[in-house]
Amino acid sequence: YHDQEDNNIIVKEFIKKNKLKDFIVLKNYKEIQNYKFDFINFGSVIQYIDEPESLIKKITFNKPEYLFFNGVNMFWGNRSKKIICKQLNTFPKVNYCHFFQYDYFKKFIKSQKYNLIYVAKNQNSSIINYSNLKEDISKDCKYLDLLFKLKK
């Protein structure tokens, strides 16, 4: 929610109401290097970050045990490692959304010393519509959840 402060307020209220400890909501994702985490959840957000690989490198520097990427657009095939799409369904706001080539993404996270231990379709995958993409891309897209664990 780095660009949606209203959502951060809701999460902060939830933390306070439920007296959760050691649960941090960052106002700016660039602050992440200032903290040591055991588990980092990218809740359908990594595809909206400019230079996501750079952020992942910063995060993995502190070696959190788990990285969870949920709601990530993935594609297969021998195209480029990423496709960036203009997302218009939030008009008047326009977002740019990264689609990752599945094998590239796994290999990149593995290069940061993590193993993929879980992959599944995201629970909202049935409502994600790729029909506005070119057919050769849209037929190979999936909305996935991926959990990585630090290699010991």
Side-chain angles (χ1 to χ4, degrees), residues 47-107:
Q47 61 264 36
Y48 298 108
I49 303 288
D50 291 331
E51 301 180 29
E53 292 90 345
S54 176
L55 176 62
I56 292 168
K57 285 180 181 180
K58 287 177 185 174
I59 289 166
T60 56
F61 178 79
N62 286 332
K63 298 183 171 101
E65 188 163 354
Y66 295 95
L67 299 175
F68 185 50
F69 299 90
N70 77 319
V72 182
N73 294 300
M74 296 284 175
F75 67 91
W76 279 254
N78 294 323
R79 295 176 204 82
S80 61
K81 58 188 176 183
K82 282 191 298 192
I83 299 169
I84 301 174
C85 294
K86 193 174 191 179
Q87 184 176 352
L88 302 173
N89 64 333
T90 57
F91 186 79
K93 184 175 175 142
V94 174
N95 293 313
Y96 292 90
C97 182
H98 296 252
F99 284 55
F100 299 95
Q101 200 278 344
Y102 180 75
D103 292 324
Y104 161 76
F105 191 81
K106 280 191 340 183
K107 186 176 179 181

Side-chain angles (χ1 to χ4, degrees), residues 3-16:
D3 63 343
Q4 299 175 30
E5 185 59 32
D6 291 346
N7 288 342
N8 282 346
I9 291 168
I10 293 167
V11 173
K12 287 177 185 177
E13 288 172 358
F14 177 82
I15 292 167
K16 186 176 179 180

Side-chain angles (χ1 to χ4, degrees), residues 8 12 28 32 42 52 59 75 78 109 114 118 121 152:
N8 282 346
K12 287 177 185 177
N28 182 333
I32 202 154
F42 291 94
I59 289 166
F75 67 91
N78 294 323
I109 303 296
Y114 286 81
Y118 172 83
K121 278 188 176 181
K152 298 277 178 163

Side-chain angles (χ1 to χ4, degrees), residues 5-52:
E5 185 59 32
D6 291 346
N7 288 342
N8 282 346
I9 291 168
I10 293 167
V11 173
K12 287 177 185 177
E13 288 172 358
F14 177 82
I15 292 167
K16 186 176 179 180
K17 179 182 175 185
N18 292 286
K19 299 176 184 169
L20 300 176
K21 295 181 182 179
D22 298 325
F23 195 100
I24 298 167
V25 177
L26 300 177
K27 185 172 184 173
N28 182 333
Y29 68 87
K30 294 177 182 173
E31 298 171 7
I32 202 154
Q33 275 189 301
N34 300 333
Y35 298 94
K36 174 83 172 114
F37 295 100
D38 296 319
F39 185 97
I40 297 181
N41 176 28
F42 291 94
S44 190
V45 71
I46 196 68
Q47 61 264 36
Y48 298 108
I49 303 288
D50 291 331
E51 301 180 29

